[in-house]
Amino acid sequence: MDTKKYSNILKALSHPHRLELFLEIAKCQEKDFENCECLISEVTKYFKIGAPTISHHLKELSSVGLIITEKKGKYLVARVNKEVLSELGSLFNKQF
């Protein structure tokens, strides 16, 4: 078990803005089931924080593997990394 990896994931989600951002990306992904990705420009409309701050939070979520981001033309898209969520879920299922 890689406790350091899981600790970093939980630490990333412990910040309220990052958790909200992650949940918005997941919600957006559910709505658009065909593409399974979310335009970051759409998600940022829900937040009252600046673009540099959002960029920082996206980088944190991406660095621990919770989301995968990529450029599509002039847009940045993100999707939830379901493998990491599955690993995290397995971790808690084993413990309880």
Side-chain angles (χ1 to χ4, degrees):
M1 176 186 332
D2 191 351
T3 55
K4 183 154 178 74
K5 174 184 174 181
Y6 297 130
S7 172
N8 287 334
I9 291 170
L10 295 172
K11 182 179 176 185
L13 289 174
S14 71
H15 190 284
H17 286 140
R18 279 195 289 272
L19 179 58
E20 289 174 24
L21 187 57
F22 177 76
L23 293 174
E24 282 298 321
I25 291 169
K27 190 186 325 179
C28 177
Q29 190 170 322
E30 280 182 15
K31 288 179 191 174
D32 190 4
F33 192 71
E34 278 183 29
N35 292 330
C36 290
E37 45 192 39
C38 182
L39 287 174
I40 295 304
S41 58
E42 290 296 315
V43 172
T44 58
K45 293 177 184 177
Y46 302 109
F47 295 92
K48 294 181 180 178
I49 54 179
T53 305
I54 290 191
S55 179
H56 169 74
H57 291 315
L58 288 170
K59 182 179 174 189
E60 291 292 319
L61 292 171
S62 182
S63 72
V64 296
L66 281 167
I67 63 170
I68 299 165
T69 59
E70 63 182 286
K71 290 283 260 178
K72 291 232 175 157
K74 65 179 184 174
Y75 297 103
L76 180 66
V77 295
R79 66 181 184 277
V80 172
N81 186 346
K82 293 187 181 193
E83 289 178 24
V84 170
L85 286 184
S86 179
E87 287 178 31
L88 201 55
S90 294
L91 170 72
F92 287 113
N93 285 333
K94 288 179 188 175
Q95 300 303 317
F96 299 104

